[in-house]
C-alpha cells in the first residue's frame, strides 16, 4: 500500500515532501547518481536504477503499491513507465507529469488516472492569487494547520444513508452529530453544486463533499465505520 | 483596476486563461515576436515590448493597475520588473514566478506579495492527488461549476459583527440567513482552525472563511453591503 515515486527532480522532490508530511510510505526510484547523496542524507528509501525497466519497478514492489507518481523530466520516459506499471498492477492509481497538452492525452490513453502539466498548474496558481486569493490561502492552511489528513473528503450516498432512503441534509441525524458539514454535492451524473441548502434532498447515486476538523472527522469515522 | 501580465509563455498563457474566465481586464506585455500572432488571434489587449523597461510598464498603465503578474522565464528579469513596478505603484499587488528557492527570497525582498515556484506547485499537486484527492477534486470544481467567482471568501469580524460584540456562530442571525457557511476561523494572531463548531465564539480581530454558492454569496453581498 505504498507510493512509488519515479524521479527525484524538482517536482519529485516537492512531491516527496508532501507525501512524508502525510506519513505515506514511499519508495523513490532515481537513476541519476548526483541525486543519490541527497536521498541518502534524508533517510529516504530509494532504488538506484532506471524506472523504465520492468525489473526496477518490480524491485520497488509495484505489484503491491497503491500509487505510482511518474515525475521524470522526459515525457517519453513517463509514458513508458505508465504503460509498464499499468500492466504490472491494474489496481494501481497512476499520476504522471507531462510537458505538453498533446502528451497529456497520450498519458491518459496509456492508463494514467491523473496527468499534471506543471507549467499549467503554475500558471493557474499565479492567476488564482488574483481571482480567488482567499480560496488559495484557505487551501494552503487546510493541509498544514490540522493533524487530520482529510479535512475535506467525499462520501457516497450509500455510506451516508445505509438505509438507502433519500433524505434532506437536515434529516441526516447521525451525520449532523459529527460536527462535519456538507459543502458540496455531486449528483449521479457528476454534476457538481456548491454548498447545498439544508432542505436539499440527497438522491441515490450521489455523493457529498464534507469538511471537518480532526475531531469531527474522527467522529465521522467512528459513526460510519470508515477505515480511513 | 486591471491586471498587468508580463510574459505569455506557458505559465502566462494559463494565467491569462484563468483571468479571462473570471472576466478580469488584462494587459499582456510580450517581447517575443513569435508570440504576437497568437495574442492577436485571441483578441487580447497586449503591448509589444520589454517589461523590464519603465516606459513599457507605464504604457500598460501600471500606476492604475490592481495586480501585476510577472511570469517571464528569467528570474533576473522578473526581479527587475518587481522592483520597478513597486516603485511606480506601491498599492500594486505583485505576484511573481521564480525558478529556485534562493530567488524566492530575493523576489520577496524586492516587494513581491506572492512568489510562485512552478516546479514546486506542480510537485505539490502530484502528491495531493495521492494524499488529498477529494480536496483537489473539490477545489477544481469550485472554480468552474458555479458562476460566482468567490465561492470561498474571507470576512473580517468587524464586517460580520458591525456592532463589535463577540458572539457565537449560532447567534449570527443576519449571516445565517444568507445560507453561507463558516468553514474556517483565523484568530487575530492568524492561527487557523478548520470548521469551528456552531457554539464557537468569534473574537474581535479575527476573521472567518465562508463558503457559498452564487445565490448565497449574492445574499451575503446584499446583507452586508459588500462591494464585490
Ligand atoms: Ca489538514
Ligand atoms: Ca466558482
Amino acid at each position: 500500500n505504498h507510493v512509488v515515486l519515479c524521479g527525484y527532480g524538482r517536482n519529485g522532490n516537492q512531491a516527496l515532501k508532501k507525501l512524508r508530511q502525510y506519513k505515506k510510505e514511499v519508495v523513490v526510484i532515481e537513476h541519476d547518481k548526483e541525486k543519490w547523496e541527497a536521498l541518502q542524507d534524508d533517510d529516504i528509501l530509494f532504488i538506484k536504477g532506471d524506472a523504465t525497466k520492468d525489473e526496477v519497478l518490480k524491485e520497488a514492489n509495484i505489484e503491491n503499491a497503491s500509487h505510482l507518481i511518474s515525475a521524470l523530466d522526459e515525457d517519453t520516459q513517463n509514458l513508458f513507465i505508465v504503460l509498464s506499471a499499468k500492466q504490472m498492477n491494474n489496481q494501481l492509481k497512476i499520476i504522471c507529469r507531462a510537458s505538453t497538452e498533446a502528451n497529456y492525452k497520450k498519458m491518459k490513453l496509456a492508463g494514467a488516472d491523473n496527468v499534471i502539466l506543471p507549467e499549467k498548474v503554475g500558471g493557474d496558481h499565479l492567476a488564482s492569487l488574483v481571482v480567488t486569493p482567499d480560496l488559495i490561502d484557505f487551501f494552503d492552511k487546510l493541509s498544514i494547520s490540522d493533524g487530520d489528513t482529510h479535512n475535506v473528503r467525499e462520501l457516497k450516498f450509500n455510506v451516508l444513508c445505509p438505509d438507502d432512503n433519500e433524505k434532506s441534509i437536515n434529516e441526516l441525524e447521525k451525520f449532523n452529530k459529527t460536527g462535519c458539514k456538507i459543502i458540496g454535492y455531486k449528483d449521479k451524473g457528476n454534476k457538481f453544486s456548491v454548498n447545498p441548502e439544508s432542505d436539499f434532498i440527497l438522491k441515490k447515486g450521489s455523493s457529498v463533499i464534507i469538511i471537518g476538523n480532526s475531531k469531527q472527522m474522527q467522529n465521522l469515522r467512528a459513526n460510519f465505520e470508515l477505515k480511513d
Side-chain angles (χ1 to χ4, degrees), chain A:
Chain A
N1 239 9
H2 59 295
V3 181
V4 176
L5 172 60
C6 306
Y8 193 63
R10 275 196 211 151
N11 287 141
N13 184 304
Q14 179 66 21
L16 182 64
K17 263 188 208 157
K18 184 144 194 167
L19 292 169
R20 293 184 117 194
Q21 191 185 322
Y22 281 86
K23 307 207 188 330
K24 282 275 167 191
E25 234 184 279
V26 186
V27 179
V28 176
I29 302 176
E30 177 56 62
H31 197 43
D32 180 0
K33 285 177 191 169
E34 289 177 18
K35 286 171 187 155
W36 292 350
E37 206 182 308
L39 283 159
Q40 242 144 8
D41 287 351
D42 282 345
D43 257 332
I44 294 158
L45 188 61
F46 75 103
I47 293 167
K48 300 172 180 174
D50 178 351
T52 62
K53 299 218 164 101
D54 283 5
E55 63 266 28
V56 173
L57 288 177
K58 259 179 204 145
E59 202 186 331
N61 194 12
I62 194 86
E63 283 99 339
N64 297 304
S66 62
H67 296 80
L68 171 92
I69 298 180
S70 196
L72 301 183
D73 287 336
E74 288 297 324
D75 286 4
T76 50
Q77 297 189 323
N78 285 324
L79 186 73
F80 198 92
I81 293 166
V82 169
L83 266 167
S84 310
K86 191 82 188 170
Q87 274 187 305
M88 293 162 84
N89 175 353
N90 68 12
Q91 296 299 303
L92 194 66
K93 190 164 176 206
I94 299 177
I95 298 153
C96 166
R97 68 156 277 170
S99 313
T100 67
E101 294 268 3
N103 291 343
Y104 177 99
K105 281 175 203 163
K106 287 184 189 128
M107 309 284 190
K108 280 282 200 177
L109 278 173
D113 296 281
N114 299 94
V115 183
I116 297 304
L117 292 148
E119 294 290 334
K120 208 169 157 174
V121 174
D124 218 74
H125 207 86
L126 287 168
S128 294
L129 286 161
V130 174
V131 293
T132 56
D134 293 347
L135 184 55
I136 289 278
D137 193 36
F138 173 63
F139 194 61
D140 287 347
K141 290 211 179 70
L142 262 191
S143 35
I144 51 161
S145 64
D146 192 24
D148 206 293
T149 59
H150 291 299
N151 295 111
V152 173
R153 65 184 289 169
E154 201 174 315
L155 219 56
K156 291 194 189 309
F157 175 83
N158 58 350
V159 175
L160 202 58
C161 305
D163 63 5
D164 215 35
N165 287 329
E166 299 183 344
K167 45 179 87 68
S168 73
I169 292 174
N170 265 332
E171 292 167 322
L172 299 171
E173 279 183 43
K174 203 162 90 174
F175 173 80
N176 291 331
K177 265 187 274 185
T178 64
C180 293
K181 275 184 204 135
I182 293 178
I183 54 175
Y185 178 74
K186 221 160 74 177
D187 73 14
K188 65 177 172 192
N190 274 322
K191 202 176 161 314
F192 180 78
S193 31
V194 180
N195 197 32
E197 307 280 345
S198 56
D199 57 359
F200 182 86
I201 310 276
L202 306 174
K203 302 280 184 190
K204 288 176 195 177
S206 70
S207 62
V208 295
I209 293 88
I210 63 177
I211 191 167
N213 57 36
S214 296
K215 190 172 137 269
Q216 294 160 347
M217 283 299 183
Q218 205 182 313
N219 296 340
L220 185 87
R221 284 188 291 268
N223 283 9
F224 292 89
E225 291 165 28
L226 303 173
K227 273 169 290 176
D228 65 336

